[in-house]
Amino acid sequence: MTVIACTGRPFPGAVPWVIRLGLKGPIVCYQGAQVRTLDGGVLLDHGIPHDVAMEVIRYAQERDLHVQAYRDDMLIVARDRPEARRYAEHAGMEVHVVGDLDRAMGPTTPKLVVVSTPENLEALLPDARRRWAGRLNVATSTPDYLEFTSVESDKASAVRFLCERFGIPQAEVVAVGDGRNDASMIAWAGLGVAVEGSPSEVIAAAERTIPGPGHAGIVQLADQLLS
């Protein structure tokens, strides 16, 4: 059995968890925008073009929402705000205040994240999806993170890339998740599994559910798959 970590975390924030889990294979990070080897090698990279990224940044700034981008695995922000510090602590990264994201970003950024309250983001999500339909994928990963990636970047496309690389049939893929950013991957997999309590679109994408954290759902699933 091959186990791959598929996370919205940036690569530097994902590596410690991958090591802790004892995984050796590639890492799907930045919501599927990148597939990296444990030593940092890049196998897949689909970023948001600069001009489209600036549309999202202006949209957030006009609403006084914290928005952040990434360059060379650095978390970059225009202003030092509590939301940036909260995200950085969660992700295990440093905050780099650059003043002007337009000048500080590269030609692409793996993803953009708006950090706000769950209530704000639930209200924002439908409008953001309408505005960038066909150009960006927009989903919440946790209730307080609204994440944007290129339209060709999501966890499903990254997992499909790895399956083609390793010759793994789609029917043999099991995908588990609990966020809207997991829905496409869960729907694509041969067996899609949602964690109980996930958003409705995640539950709808799955063939079955498992108990949430603290209730040994993953252990139960692994035992069933290996029996």
Side-chain angles (χ1 to χ4, degrees), residues 78-102:
R79 292 191 291 135
D80 191 358
R81 294 176 50 148
E83 297 96 326
R85 296 292 168 183
R86 188 168 75 245
Y87 179 96
E89 182 178 359
H90 176 229
M93 298 181 69
E94 295 183 16
V95 176
H96 297 267
V97 181
V98 296
D100 185 354
L101 287 170
D102 192 6

Side-chain angles (χ1 to χ4, degrees), residues 141-225:
S141 52
T142 66
D144 48 352
Y145 301 161
L146 183 63
E147 312 220 4
F148 299 76
T149 58
S150 77
V151 73
E152 58 188 345
S153 301
D154 62 6
K155 291 184 180 182
S157 61
V159 172
R160 182 170 60 247
F161 166 82
L162 285 175
C163 287
E164 292 171 353
R165 184 180 181 92
F166 294 127
I168 300 171
Q170 180 180 357
E172 295 181 8
V173 176
V174 180
V176 185
D178 63 356
R180 287 188 175 97
N181 58 324
D182 298 313
S184 65
M185 175 182 69
I186 289 170
W188 182 83
L191 174 62
V193 182
V195 177
E196 292 174 0
S198 300
S200 58
E201 67 186 80
V202 182
I203 299 292
E207 295 178 56
R208 58 170 295 184
T209 61
I210 58 172
H215 298 281
I218 291 292
V219 174
Q220 294 173 27
L221 177 64
D223 287 344
Q224 292 170 10
L225 293 173

Side-chain angles (χ1 to χ4, degrees), residues 3-63:
V3 179
I4 298 294
C6 300
T7 179
R9 288 174 178 261
F11 177 73
V15 168
W17 288 98
V18 170
I19 293 173
R20 185 175 178 181
L21 292 168
L23 303 179
K24 305 295 185 183
I27 304 169
V28 174
C29 51
Y30 292 107
Q31 302 298 9
Q34 291 187 358
V35 178
R36 306 277 289 271
T37 59
L38 195 54
D39 62 2
V42 179
L43 304 179
L44 179 72
D45 185 10
H46 290 309
I48 302 173
H50 185 97
D51 59 336
V52 182
M54 286 308 304
E55 291 179 25
V56 177
I57 289 167
R58 286 190 290 267
Y59 176 83
Q61 291 175 339
E62 288 166 1
R63 291 159 177 78

Side-chain angles (χ1 to χ4, degrees), residues 59-60 63 65 114 116 118-132 138 146 148:
Y59 176 83
R63 291 159 177 78
L65 294 167
V114 173
S116 187
E119 295 76 18
N120 282 346
L121 297 186
E122 283 296 318
L124 204 66
L125 177 62
D127 181 57
R129 283 180 163 173
R130 282 192 299 269
R131 285 173 182 264
W132 287 283
V138 186
L146 183 63
F148 299 76

